[in-house]
Amino acid sequence: MDTVINSFVEKSKEILQDNLVGVYLHGSAVMGCYNLAKSDIDLIVVVKEFIEDSVKSTFMDMVIDLNEKGPAKGIEMSIVKRCVCKPFVYPTPFELHFSVAHLDWYRKVPDDYVSKMKGEDKDLAAHFTIINHRGECLYGASIKDIFADVSVQDYIDSILNDIADAEEEITDNPMYLILNLARELAYLKDELVLSKKEGGE
């Protein structure tokens, strides 16, 4: 994991150059429950300005290469502009996103992927909350300088959106959803920001 993360940071610096503000790690890797067979590597990249599609293409080629060297669930990452982090904007605009769920799309029609993979993502409120509470700055400006606090209202909306289809999907992916429901209940009842493992416990 460390080799992939270190390479991601160095390649991000090379590709984004002066536009790069910072790279931030969240998820299981910072919450003490990383599992090579079941976890992904969760990263947020913050930039100053708009990114050209040609730069996005180079960045995506790097991500795909490292994704193949990473854990079974690969890399999940989003690139966002600094201006949406502080003050926090919700739903949060993003410039580029990748997870293994989108791997086939990128491989089949990379130009289409690069031009269309942008928009708004409610999940980013949850990711930013984890960064603020448990995250690690891998490169660049400190977390407190870049990320504003996410309001309770926005965070709750984000996590409820994440489990909106749980009743239909729980039989397909019971471990993920049961642990996710448990940790979200811990926040709703006690305002605890937990990993899935901690939620289960």
Side-chain angles (χ1 to χ4, degrees):
M1 176 180 71
D2 288 344
T3 302
V4 171
I5 290 173
N6 292 338
S7 295
F8 182 94
V9 172
E10 291 307 311
K11 294 292 185 182
S12 296
K13 288 158 64 176
E14 289 175 20
I15 296 166
L16 298 172
Q17 301 181 12
D18 291 343
N19 197 16
L20 179 62
V21 173
V23 181
Y24 306 89
L25 184 66
H26 64 102
S28 59
V30 295
M31 300 179 86
C33 56
Y34 178 81
N35 182 320
L36 185 62
K38 298 182 182 296
S39 301
D40 52 16
I41 297 173
D42 298 294
L43 295 151
I44 297 291
V45 177
V46 180
V47 295
K48 297 173 186 172
E49 304 293 346
F50 170 83
I51 310 168
E52 298 285 348
D53 282 357
S54 59
V55 177
K56 288 183 180 180
S57 293
T58 302
F59 196 89
M60 278 300 304
D61 288 342
M62 175 272 287
V63 172
I64 297 301
D65 178 60
L66 290 178
N67 185 70
E68 293 173 356
K69 300 172 183 175
K73 285 189 69 179
I75 291 171
E76 180 170 348
M77 74 91 208
S78 294
I79 300 180
V80 298
K81 289 182 188 173
R82 183 174 190 164
C83 62
V84 306
C85 301
K86 195 173 189 176
F88 176 63
V89 177
Y90 183 79
T92 312
F94 66 94
E95 303 303 301
L96 184 66
H97 173 76
F98 174 76
S99 73
V100 291
H102 306 298
L103 184 57
D104 285 345
W105 177 16
Y106 182 74
R107 282 182 168 158
K108 289 174 183 174
V109 278
D111 290 345
D112 184 64
Y113 186 97
V114 164
S115 67
K116 294 179 180 176
M117 182 48 84
K118 58 190 173 187
E120 294 178 339
D121 184 2
K122 288 189 172 185
D123 286 349
L124 286 166
H127 300 337
F128 287 12
T129 299
I130 299 295
I131 288 173
N132 279 326
H133 284 80
R134 314 275 291 267
E136 180 182 346
C137 174
L138 301 173
Y139 170 79
S142 69
I143 290 170
K144 66 180 178 60
D145 286 343
I146 298 303
F147 296 93
D149 288 335
V150 175
S151 72
V152 171
Q153 180 181 352
D154 288 344
Y155 182 59
I156 289 175
D157 188 70
S158 174
I159 62 177
L160 291 180
N161 180 71
D162 187 42
I163 60 170
D165 299 321
E167 192 170 356
E168 292 78 31
E169 296 175 357
I170 199 161
T171 52
D172 296 327
N173 198 357
M175 181 183 295
Y176 175 87
L177 277 163
I178 289 168
L179 296 180
N180 216 20
L181 288 165
R183 72 169 173 174
E184 293 175 5
L185 184 60
Y187 183 82
L188 293 172
K189 288 183 69 175
D190 301 315
E191 295 188 6
L192 298 174
V193 177
L194 305 179
S195 67
K196 287 191 284 290
K197 178 176 181 288
E198 291 164 342
E201 292 169 346

